[in-house]
Amino acid sequence: MLRFRAVRLFSSLLAVLATCTALLGCCRPPPCLSGACPQVGLETPDEMFRLVRRELERSEDATPLVGGHILEQLPWLFPDVSHLPDAPRCRLDLVDAASAATFDEKPITFSRMLMARIRAVGNMYSTRDVSDAKAVYLRRLVELDESRLTDYQFSPGETGPAPPKSLVRYAALSGLERFNMPLHETEGLFRRLQTSPDDRAAWILHETVLSFLELALHRTPKHSTDELAKGLFFSWLPDMQRRLNGPSDPLSLEIVLQRMLPLGVFSTKVGVTDEARKLLESMIAARGDFPLTRGIPGAARDLTATAWMALFDLDNPRSNTSIRTILPSPARKVFRPDEVWQADPAPAHPAAEAVAARMRDLEGELLELKFAYGRCHVLREQVFWVPPGDADRLFERMVAPLSLGGKVAFSSEAFCRMHAATSLRAAPDSKRVGLVLRWLRAEPADIAEWDPTGNSTDAMVGPDTNKKQIKERAASVLAENPQWVERHAELRAWVAEQAQKRNPTTGRAEHGPLWEELHPAYERLLAFHASGHPEASVEIGRAILRVWIESARATLGDEIGLGSYDSALALKLFALGDFAVRFGLRDEAQALFDDMAKRVVPSPREGSLGLHLSLAHDATVASLLMSFTVAPSK
C-alpha cells in the first residue's frame, strides 16, 4: 500500500511538472535569432527584425574582421517592443549564443570574434529579461584565469603585435559596468577591487562606486554593498596621497582627478570632511606640483583648478549628490584607457573583396529599407567600410538628397545623412566644412518643411520638428571637429562673428544651448588667434574677449541675472582665465574677477542637478587659471 501511494505521488508530481513546463513554454517569449523571423504586427519593428536577421547571417558568413564588426553593432538594431506581452527575446538569444560560442571551447580562443561577442553583449541595454544572463556571461570573463585563454589567434588581415590577454577582462568589465549592473554582481566586483587593486578596474568602476555610495546614504534596510562602497570611498584619501607622491603616470593622474569632485560632494556626508579638506588644500598650496604631475603638460593646472572646485563643494554642502559638470577645458591631454579595449585588438586590414561585398550589401539595404531607424544604421556602416578612394563619391551620394529646391532638407534621415557625410574623414575637408557651414547659416526660411517620411508609424512620441535643430545638429558636428576652425578661413570668420554676437533684445552676448555647443570651436578660435599663425589676428581674439567681459559685467549689475547665473557665463569666465593674458587683457579680466568675487550670489536651486554654480567661486577659479598662463613674448 505504501509503495502504491509513493508511485501515485511520484506520478502526480511528474504530471504537475509537465503541466508547469508546458505552461512556461507557452509563456516564454518567442525566439528572435533562430527559427522564423519574428513579426509583431508593427511596421518599423518588423522591418528591423528582418534587418537583424540579415545582418546576423552576414556576420556568420563574412570573414572574422567583417563579421566581428557586424556582430558588435547588432544589439543597436534590436527594436524596443518591450511593451508587448510576447516580445521576441533578441537580447537573451544573443547572450545564449555568445556564451555557447565562448565557453564551449576549451581552451577559449582569444580572437577578434571573442572580442566581438564581448562587445555585443556589453553594448546591450540591461533590460529585465536579459540582465542576469548578460552579467553572468561578462562576469565569467572578468574572473577568467588567463591560462584558460589561448594566445591571440590572428585572423586573415590582422598583423602584430598580439594584444595582452588582460584585454578580455577589461572589455568584459567595461560592458558589465555600463548598464545597470545587478546588485550581487556589484558586490563581487567591489570585494575583488578591495582585495586586488587594479588601476584599470578602478577607473572603469568609478561611476558604479559613486552610484552605490549614493544609495548607501539613503537605503533602508542596508545592503552589504553599501559598506563596501563606503570602504572604497574611504580608501581613496590615502590612495590619492600615495599617487600624488608616486611616479608620473597618465592613468594614475586620471584616477586622482576623477575622484576629486566626488570628494567635495560626499566627504561631509560620510564624516571625512577634515581629511578631504587637508588633501584638497595641500593640492592648492602646491599649485598642483607633485611627482605625479611632473612631465605631464597641463596636469598641475588641471589638478589645482579641480581641487578649488572640490573644496567649494566641500564648504557648501547640498542635500543632493550631483557632481559638477561645467568645468574648465583641460590643459592636459586627457588619457582614456578604454580606447585600448574599444579599438581593434590587433591592427586590421580586411581583404578588399570582403569590404566590397559589405558595401554591396549596404547599398542593397538602402533600396530595401523604408524607415529611418534602419537606414541610419546603414549610412553609418557605409562610413565605416568605404575605401578611402571612394569616400568623395560616397559623400556626394549622401548629401544629394539634403538640398530640396535650394532649401535644407528637414527630416530624420537628413540628420543621419549630414552626420554620416561629415564623418567621412577621407572625403575632402572643404566639402565637409561647407556642409556644416550651410546648416549653421540656415535661417527658418532656408529650411524645408518637416518631412515625416521614414519616421516610425508606431512611435508613441512624435519627433521634434523645431527648425532650430538644423543649427544645433551642425554645431554638434563642429564640436566633434574643432580642428576645422584652424584650417578653414570661412569657418573661422563665421565662428568669430558668432562669438561676438549679441542678443537683439538685451544687447548682451549670446548664450544658451547653441552657444555652449559652439564653445569648443570658440576656444579653438581663440587659441588660433593667439598662436602667431600668419593668418591669426590678436585683434579678433581681443574683440571676442571684450564682448564676453562686457556681457559678464552686465550680468554682474543685474540681480535677476545673478540669480539665474548659467553655465554659459561660467564657460566664458574660464575662457577669460585661459586667454586674457595671451591677448593683453590681464588687467581688465582681473578687475572683473575681483568684482565678481565680492558678490554674494543666491545658492543654486536644489533641482539644478550637475550645476554647482557660484559667481564668486568661478571668478576665483578663472583668476587661478589666468595665473597659469604665460604672456606671449614681445
Side-chain angles (χ1 to χ4, degrees):
M1 178 64 71
L2 288 175
R3 182 180 178 184
F4 176 71
R5 287 179 179 174
V7 170
R8 286 185 60 188
L9 178 61
F10 183 67
S11 300
S12 300
L13 286 172
L14 287 177
V16 170
L17 286 172
T19 302
C20 291
T21 301
L23 288 172
L24 288 172
C26 292
C27 299
R28 183 176 172 83
C32 172
L33 304 184
S34 61
C37 185
Q39 293 187 59
V40 295
L42 299 173
E43 276 192 292
T44 305
D46 284 349
E47 179 175 271
M48 293 307 298
F49 284 127
R50 293 192 292 273
L51 176 59
V52 164
R53 293 296 286 271
R54 291 194 295 270
E55 287 287 80
L56 177 64
E57 184 176 343
R58 289 167 187 147
S59 75
E60 294 169 344
D61 293 343
T63 63
L65 296 188
V66 175
H69 174 83
I70 296 173
L71 181 62
E72 289 170 2
Q73 306 307 309
L74 207 62
W76 305 118
L77 302 182
F78 295 156
D80 181 8
V81 289
S82 55
H83 60 290
L84 300 177
D86 57 347
R89 56 177 191 266
C90 299
R91 294 177 178 85
L92 192 57
D93 280 3
L94 185 57
V95 176
D96 288 346
S99 184
T102 300
F103 296 112
D104 285 356
E105 296 181 323
K106 293 182 175 45
I108 295 170
T109 303
F110 181 23
S111 65
R112 178 67 182 85
M113 287 308 297
L114 174 61
M115 296 304 298
R117 292 192 289 269
I118 293 171
R119 290 170 182 168
V121 174
N123 284 340
M124 287 192 300
Y125 290 106
S126 294
T127 49
R128 184 173 56 184
D129 61 321
V130 76
S131 177
D132 285 344
K134 170 184 171 178
V136 167
Y137 174 75
L138 294 173
R139 189 247 304 150
R140 288 181 69 183
L141 289 166
V142 169
E143 297 177 350
L144 185 71
D145 189 315
E146 290 184 0
S147 65
R148 294 185 57 198
L149 285 170
T150 67
D151 291 332
Y152 190 76
Q153 305 298 297
F154 289 95
S155 300
E158 284 186 311
T159 57
K165 293 181 179 182
S166 61
L167 188 68
V168 171
R169 180 168 71 255
Y170 295 127
L173 184 58
S174 182
L176 190 58
E177 186 273 341
R178 197 170 301 148
F179 302 112
N180 302 324
M181 197 187 311
L183 196 61
H184 58 281
E185 299 293 350
T186 305
E187 182 176 358
L189 290 172
F190 282 2
R191 292 191 187 282
R192 183 185 179 111
L193 199 57
Q194 274 189 330
T195 57
S196 304
D198 178 331
D199 281 3
R200 284 173 173 77
W203 186 88
I204 293 168
L205 291 173
H206 174 76
E207 292 297 330
T208 303
V209 172
L210 291 185
S211 63
F212 277 87
L213 181 61
E214 182 176 5
L215 284 174
L217 300 177
H218 309 293
R219 176 161 39 201
T220 304
K222 299 294 184 183
H223 188 273
S224 54
T225 52
D226 299 343
E227 291 307 313
L228 287 170
K230 284 184 181 179
L232 287 169
F233 181 79
F234 292 148
S235 72
W236 285 0
L237 287 163
D239 183 66
M240 290 168 71
Q241 187 66 63
R242 176 186 64 80
R243 290 177 187 277
L244 289 172
N245 294 307
S248 179
D249 175 69
L251 177 54
S252 199
L253 174 65
E254 296 302 329
I255 290 172
V256 169
L257 285 165
Q258 76 176 175
R259 291 173 176 178
M260 286 169 64
L261 292 175
L263 272 187
V265 173
F266 285 97
S267 294
T268 55
K269 303 180 189 309
V270 297
V272 290
T273 304
D274 293 342
E275 295 90 334
R277 178 177 284 105
K278 182 179 178 181
L279 178 63
L280 295 172
E281 287 179 345
S282 72
M283 295 178 182
I284 295 168
R287 286 179 58 83
D289 182 21
F290 292 93
L292 174 64
T293 58
R294 293 168 195 158
I296 304 178
R301 175 265 201 193
D302 291 351
L303 190 74
T304 311
T306 309
W308 264 109
M309 293 181 167
L311 190 60
F312 171 78
D313 289 336
L314 192 72
D315 291 336
N316 297 272
R318 295 157 54 91
S319 60
N320 66 43
T321 54
S322 59
I323 293 172
R324 181 182 182 120
T325 57
I326 305 301
L327 304 169
S329 298
R332 73 193 186 283
K333 182 180 180 181
V334 177
F335 175 70
R336 293 195 59 90
D338 56 336
E339 291 177 354
V340 175
W341 52 83
Q342 289 176 356
D344 287 332
H349 304 281
E353 56 271 22
V355 172
R358 178 62 176 157
M359 290 297 290
R360 286 194 299 271
D361 287 339
L362 294 171
E363 287 292 342
E365 289 294 356
L366 285 179
L367 298 175
E368 173 77 17
L369 295 168
K370 172 182 175 183
F371 294 104
Y373 190 63
R375 292 177 65 82
C376 288
H377 165 76
V378 171
L379 292 168
R380 290 190 296 270
E381 284 290 280
Q382 285 185 315
V383 170
F384 184 86
W385 289 109
V386 65
D390 295 336
D392 191 13
R393 288 189 292 274
L394 179 60
F395 180 92
E396 295 297 338
R397 293 203 304 274
M398 282 187 170
V399 303
L402 296 182
S403 183
L404 298 174
K407 293 192 173 186
V408 175
F410 187 33
S411 66
S412 296
E413 184 168 327
F415 296 151
C416 295
R417 284 182 173 273
M418 193 276 286
H419 198 277
T422 53
S423 300
L424 280 165
R425 299 194 180 280
D429 255 11
S430 57
K431 292 185 177 182
R432 297 158 68 202
V433 171
L435 176 59
V436 169
L437 261 176
R438 187 185 180 203
W439 280 44
L440 287 170
R441 289 170 169 161
E443 299 300 332
D446 305 319
I447 302 170
E449 295 305 311
W450 176 257
D451 180 4
T453 303
N455 282 6
S456 172
T457 56
D458 319 305
M460 291 181 284
V461 179
D464 180 0
T465 58
N466 192 320
K467 290 184 177 181
K468 69 180 182 181
Q469 280 195 89
I470 293 292
K471 285 188 177 182
E472 290 174 352
R473 301 273 180 155
S476 176
V477 170
L478 182 55
E480 295 170 4
N481 299 275
Q483 72 280 0
W484 287 345
V485 173
E486 300 165 353
R487 303 174 188 168
H488 299 276
E490 188 179 2
L491 179 61
R492 279 200 305 276
W494 184 88
V495 173
E497 178 186 345
Q498 295 302 305
Q500 300 172 72
K501 192 173 181 180
R502 299 172 187 272
N503 185 296
T505 304
T506 65
R508 297 176 184 173
E510 286 280 13
H511 63 94
L514 182 61
W515 191 98
E516 292 182 37
E517 197 74 68
L518 289 169
H519 181 68
Y522 294 152
E523 291 205 340
R524 202 68 170 238
L525 177 70
L526 290 168
F528 174 82
H529 285 305
S531 68
H533 187 279
E535 296 179 20
S537 168
V538 172
E539 291 306 316
I540 291 176
R542 190 175 291 150
I544 292 170
L545 293 187
R546 280 190 166 137
V547 169
W548 292 0
I549 290 172
E550 180 186 329
S551 172
R553 280 208 170 276
T555 303
L556 186 62
D558 182 353
E559 294 299 331
I560 296 176
L562 288 173
S564 59
Y565 172 53
D566 64 10
S567 51
L569 181 51
L571 292 172
K572 287 174 183 174
L573 292 179
F574 298 150
L576 284 168
D578 280 330
F579 291 101
V581 171
R582 301 169 72 178
F583 289 104
L585 297 176
R586 179 197 294 272
D587 292 344
E588 291 179 44
Q590 191 61 61
L592 172 68
F593 300 153
D594 290 344
D595 288 344
M596 286 184 162
K598 300 171 187 174
R599 300 303 299 263
V600 177
V601 183
S603 299
R605 299 186 307 275
E606 281 295 325
S608 58
L609 295 178
L611 295 177
H612 296 194
L613 297 174
S614 160
L615 187 62
H617 175 261
D618 287 349
T620 302
V621 171
S623 180
L624 172 73
L625 298 177
M626 195 161 64
S627 73
F628 278 91
T629 306
V630 178
S633 57
K634 299 292 186 182

